[in-house]
Amino acid sequence: MVACDSSIAAKLINGGVAGLVGVTCVFPIDLAKTRLQNQHGKDMYKGMIDCLMKTARAEGFLGMYRGAAVNLTLVTPEKAIKLAANDFFRQLLMEDGMQRNLKMEMLAGCGAGMCQVVVTCPMEMLKIQLQDAGRLAAPHQSSTSAPSSSRFYTTGSASTHKRPSATLIAWELLRTQGLAGLYKGLGATLLRDIPFSIIYFPMFANLNNLGVHELTGKASFAHSFVSGCIAGSLAAVAVTPLDVLKTRIQTLKKGLGEDVYSGIMDCARKLWIQEGPSAFMKGAGCRALVIAPLFGIAQGVYFIGIGEHILKYFE
């Protein structure tokens, strides 16, 4: 029982360390992804580089890390749950957790995707509001208030002028909408994360298995890292349309002329009619650049076994 608890603790530590390192490295690109997905047309940002340059000029270097605090706080449990849950389901569904069985690997990935949304949904809900605040504060929008149909995360004339913070937004959502406010877009999050995990985990497992050494029974760090990058980037691009829908639905504060959506189908319909099919792939390049190193680092850390080393040190 002690060994089992130690194994779970090591997996949680590995997931947490990987999440912290990965997010710190790629957060500015994730901010660009959110702003590109939320803008209608290309009036403000021409692309990722243009977005990052304008953000740095207008908001400074730290402006590119808006929302990073909430992400860094919650990414530890999120990544830990995702990686540990996939490992748990693999052990449960496959005899020794190592047999190659695509259907079982996909089912294990599905289980991991379902488990992680407990943390992912509120984390991204708060992160998106903070990341998009700079876009809404741009000169051509700041002089005009958002349409009355928009749903603000703050209420009252004074509070709407406060610089948003994760604590303020979370408190307002809980006060006005209860726990459901933090879980707005849960269905869209599930629709994105379950297919992502179904694609990612089996692809990574099979790619990583190609580099397993006979003597150690493990792949090298470099091979695990590259396998995580390839599987992560392909899975990220594949589910980008669902990520666009999730971002639009979870964004509470809208700019002038931007739509409010009643659900996934309403969002998809309006996006298709008003912006065309290409809008569903907004931020695809950014997502690939974010997810590839994020999961490359995650799997590298996981397979090195940093958690195991830390636990051994405290024994």
Side-chain angles (χ1 to χ4, degrees):
M1 188 67 180
V2 175
C4 180
D5 292 342
S6 177
S7 177
I8 292 170
K11 289 169 185 173
L12 294 175
I13 292 170
N14 285 329
V17 170
L20 288 170
V21 174
V23 167
T24 303
C25 294
V26 301
F27 193 83
I29 303 173
D30 187 64
L31 179 137
K33 181 219 67 154
T34 298
R35 294 189 179 185
L36 289 170
Q37 287 182 340
N38 265 331
Q39 75 168 354
H40 289 218
K42 290 187 178 181
D43 293 337
M44 192 168 181
Y45 306 119
K46 303 284 190 290
M48 182 187 73
I49 302 297
D50 184 52
C51 178
L52 291 174
M53 288 178 67
K54 286 179 178 176
T55 299
R57 280 200 298 267
E59 303 166 54
F61 176 77
L62 292 180
M64 295 190 289
Y65 280 88
R66 276 199 182 193
V70 67
N71 221 37
L72 288 169
T73 302
L74 295 178
V75 77
T76 297
E78 190 230 14
K79 284 290 174 285
I81 289 169
K82 188 184 189 84
L83 294 172
N86 178 70
D87 213 42
F88 170 78
F89 285 118
R90 282 174 63 85
Q91 293 289 342
L92 186 69
L93 296 169
M94 298 156 71
E95 288 182 11
D96 59 1
M98 294 298 289
Q99 274 187 315
R100 300 271 76 79
N101 185 322
L102 186 59
K103 287 182 182 178
M104 292 299 102
E105 287 175 344
M106 292 175 73
L107 198 56
C110 176
M114 290 180 70
C115 289
Q116 77 170 83
V117 295
V118 175
V119 177
T120 303
C121 192
M123 178 183 77
E124 298 225 343
M125 182 72 184
L126 298 174
K127 181 194 73 170
I128 285 170
Q129 315 317 316
L130 296 169
Q131 287 182 325
D132 205 42
R135 182 184 70 90
L136 295 172
H140 77 277
Q141 291 179 323
S142 60
S143 61
T144 315
S145 60
S148 60
S149 59
S150 296
R151 296 179 65 183
F152 286 82
Y153 43 77
T154 51
T155 55
S157 58
S159 62
T160 53
H161 294 291
K162 288 181 182 178
R163 184 184 178 95
S165 71
T167 306
L168 176 66
I169 297 167
W171 170 249
E172 281 293 324
L173 287 170
L174 287 170
R175 187 178 65 82
T176 58
Q177 300 174 41
L179 195 60
L182 284 175
Y183 281 88
K184 180 180 171 67
L186 177 62
T189 306
L190 282 166
L191 275 178
R192 181 199 68 172
D193 287 352
I194 290 176
F196 177 89
S197 295
I198 288 173
I199 296 167
Y200 172 77
F201 282 110
M203 186 182 295
F204 168 77
N206 284 278
L207 287 172
N208 192 65
N209 191 55
L210 297 174
V212 171
H213 296 293
E214 291 182 8
L215 295 175
T216 61
K218 292 175 67 174
S220 65
F221 171 81
H223 190 89
S224 291
F225 179 83
V226 172
S227 297
C229 286
I230 293 170
S233 60
L234 292 176
V237 172
V239 301
T240 293
L242 300 168
D243 187 59
V244 172
L245 297 178
K246 185 196 74 67
T247 299
R248 290 285 181 100
I249 289 168
Q250 286 190 318
T251 302
L252 299 177
K253 217 169 187 179
K254 304 290 186 179
L256 181 65
E258 293 181 355
D259 289 306
V260 176
Y261 309 106
S262 61
I264 296 168
M265 294 306 295
D266 180 55
C267 181
R269 181 179 60 81
K270 287 177 178 176
L271 197 62
W272 180 276
I273 292 171
Q274 296 172 10
E275 300 177 57
S278 63
F280 287 91
M281 293 306 291
K282 279 187 175 183
C286 290
R287 265 185 68 74
L289 288 173
V290 168
I291 300 296
L294 194 62
F295 277 85
I297 291 167
Q299 294 297 355
V301 168
Y302 202 67
F303 278 83
I304 284 174
I306 288 177
E308 286 81 356
H309 290 303
I310 291 173
L311 290 175
K312 276 183 183 179
Y313 179 78
F314 287 103
E315 281 180 358

